[in-house]
Amino acid sequence: MKHPDLLPLSVAALLSVALLPTACSVLPEDIRATLPESLRGDTQALKDYPTPQLSGRWQDTDYPEMTITLQQNGNAFTMTREGDYQGIPVKETYTGTLEGRSAQLTYKALDKGRIRPVSGKCFGVASKDSSSLKLTCEDVKKGTVPLNLQKY
């Protein structure tokens, strides 16, 4: 007898969904232990790491002409990104928080010729050694854009 509320799914469809790798995949510890060490991955959640120390000067690896300064107080930080990009002055201000190595930010940018600033959100991860910060930002004009920072 078939249940009327359940949609029929093929075995292939179920397997294709079950086998998709994701960045958020979590294996129970007992299963991880049976895997070769190179396949175990990072067993600690990003939020469980100590808060990284990010204060200082940074470089945008995709736009090295930008000057980036980050100031941190505990798990809160501010960041400025400014300079000339192809003759267009750029000035952006970011405010963020860290939960372990996980970062969340909001930003405001005043583009040349605009009366109002553009704002958005970013999220990402600081490296274990606090030397890089990989962010994904939501920009109303450009869509989703990466922001890859390297500490001087």
Side-chain angles (χ1 to χ4, degrees), residues 20-62:
L20 286 175
T22 68
C24 297
S25 295
V26 176
L27 294 174
E29 192 61 42
D30 56 336
I31 293 174
R32 278 188 198 272
T34 65
L35 296 173
E37 189 158 338
S38 63
L39 298 177
R40 289 183 194 166
D42 196 347
T43 59
Q44 189 171 359
L46 291 173
K47 66 179 185 167
D48 293 338
Y49 278 89
T51 301
Q53 298 305 309
L54 303 177
S55 290
R57 292 187 40 117
W58 292 73
Q59 180 180 28
D60 185 330
T61 58
D62 298 316

Side-chain angles (χ1 to χ4, degrees), residues 92-152:
E92 300 169 344
T93 304
Y94 297 76
T95 304
T97 58
L98 293 164
E99 186 174 358
R101 290 178 38 221
S102 181
Q104 293 186 25
L105 304 91
T106 58
Y107 71 89
K108 288 196 180 204
L110 186 57
D111 294 344
K112 184 178 181 182
R114 286 188 165 268
I115 297 171
R116 295 184 191 165
V118 175
S119 61
K121 296 179 182 180
C122 302
F123 55 92
V125 176
S127 64
K128 288 180 185 179
D129 65 358
S130 301
S131 67
S132 69
L133 188 56
K134 306 279 185 201
L135 302 168
T136 300
C137 298
E138 299 169 354
D139 186 299
V140 293
K141 288 180 10 182
K142 301 174 195 167
T144 302
V145 295
L147 184 57
N148 299 306
L149 307 178
Q150 196 70 32
K151 198 171 192 179
Y152 280 121

